[in-house]
Amino acid sequence: RPMPTVHRGLGFARDRGLALGIVSNQSGIGRGLLTVEEVDAVNRRVDQLLGPFDAIVYCPHAPIEGCTCRKPMPGLVWSAAATIGVQPEECVLIGDIGADDRGGGGGLAGVALQLLRREGGSVAGHLRAGCGAGSGVVRAESRARSPTSPTTA
């Protein structure tokens, strides 16, 4: 189930004309724990519950593969930005774990990052903080199909 403030936060962004996407690491595919079909089914359900999203992109690789799409590397943001038609520097990445914050060394320099704190705060508040004047793109978590690069569904 979505967190109670998610609909309000996404609505806040959509009401301001922001494009929304999901970018996520799905290493369970690369490690043989999940299939592409299972991840796609979950993403379709998320889109039904919280969408529509303008891009959903994921990295299917195991961490040891050293790909350029696995966060905190920039490939997923690049892919989502291209799908939506904006520059990566116009994106805001909202993450929920500290690994999302390692982007500076991983190539996400220039992409604003807001970490959602599980212990408090609202999604709308984080969006307000991350989006400032209300221009740009908000990114959450994503999906890709190719074992060599992220793609959109």
Side-chain angles (χ1 to χ4, degrees):
R1 273 183 229 201
M3 294 171 54
T5 60
V6 170
H7 287 286
R8 186 174 60 221
L10 294 174
F12 178 89
R14 287 184 180 112
D15 289 348
R16 281 149 184 81
L18 297 175
L20 300 175
I22 297 176
V23 295
S24 70
N25 294 332
Q26 295 297 327
S27 67
I29 296 171
R31 293 182 291 143
L33 303 172
L34 298 169
T35 66
V36 168
E37 294 77 17
E38 290 169 326
V39 172
D40 287 345
V42 169
N43 287 330
R44 280 191 302 276
R45 182 66 176 145
V46 169
D47 198 51
Q48 288 172 349
L49 292 172
L50 301 173
F53 290 96
D54 299 288
I56 300 177
V57 186
Y58 64 80
C59 170
H61 305 111
I64 62 169
E65 292 182 62
C67 65
T68 60
C69 58
R70 183 175 176 75
K71 292 183 303 174
M73 297 302 288
L76 291 174
V77 172
W78 292 347
S79 179
T83 297
I84 292 171
V86 299
Q87 295 299 310
E89 299 79 27
E90 297 176 270
C91 297
V92 175
L93 179 68
I94 298 176
D96 65 345
I97 60 173
D100 290 335
D101 195 18
R102 295 188 204 127
L108 288 177
V111 175
L113 175 73
Q114 290 290 317
L115 285 177
L116 296 179
R117 304 292 178 210
R118 293 181 191 272
E119 65 275 3
S122 71
V123 172
H126 287 286
L127 287 171
R128 279 192 293 275
C131 298
S135 63
V137 179
V138 176
R139 296 276 173 278
E141 294 258 339
S142 90
R143 80 167 132 179
R145 295 184 187 271
S146 165
T148 58
S149 65
T151 60
T152 56

